[in-house]
Amino acid sequence: MVIEDHATIGSNVDILSGRHQHGFTDAGLSVQMQTGIFRQVRLGRNCWIGNSSVVMADVAEGCVVGAGSVVVKPLPAGAVAVGNPAVIKKQRPVMEHPVSRAG
């Protein structure tokens, strides 16, 4: 997994190594013995992953993933996505150099 600068990850978030970690196509072999495909998932710069989300695909920079969402397909930069599976509901601008407020 790659977590870029200023990515925010809420509580109870699961980040999996892709959607195909477990094989189950060979009926002659127990599910536990079958191989899967693992891939590196990337969380982009300045994204926000809401509480209890499950992430199985890349989340590009500036994205917001709503709480409890399940990301099964890559999200493009600036997407605001919610639901199971996560669906893009809005698009937000992606700032080249986001500013943090000191408080």
Side-chain angles (χ1 to χ4, degrees):
M1 167 177 39
V2 174
I3 302 173
E4 295 184 3
D5 292 341
H6 303 291
T8 302
I9 303 170
S11 301
N12 303 311
V13 170
D14 293 315
I15 302 170
L16 309 181
S17 296
R19 294 176 52 192
H20 304 288
Q21 293 184 57
H22 304 285
F24 52 86
T25 56
D26 185 347
L29 192 60
S30 70
V31 173
Q32 294 80 5
M33 298 301 293
Q34 295 188 43
T35 60
I37 299 169
F38 296 87
R39 65 175 297 276
Q40 184 169 278
V41 171
R42 177 178 297 275
L43 301 183
R45 184 174 61 88
N46 197 35
C47 70
W48 182 1
I49 312 298
N51 291 359
S52 300
S53 294
V54 178
V55 179
M56 297 184 233
D58 294 343
V59 176
E61 70 176 298
C63 287
V64 175
V65 175
S69 296
V70 180
V71 179
V72 296
K73 294 182 180 177
L75 295 177
V80 178
V82 298
N84 179 6
V87 175
I88 298 171
K89 296 293 185 176
K90 294 181 183 178
Q91 193 69 34
R92 58 190 296 263
V94 177
M95 296 179 65
E96 195 167 321
H97 299 287
V99 177
S100 297
R101 289 193 179 151

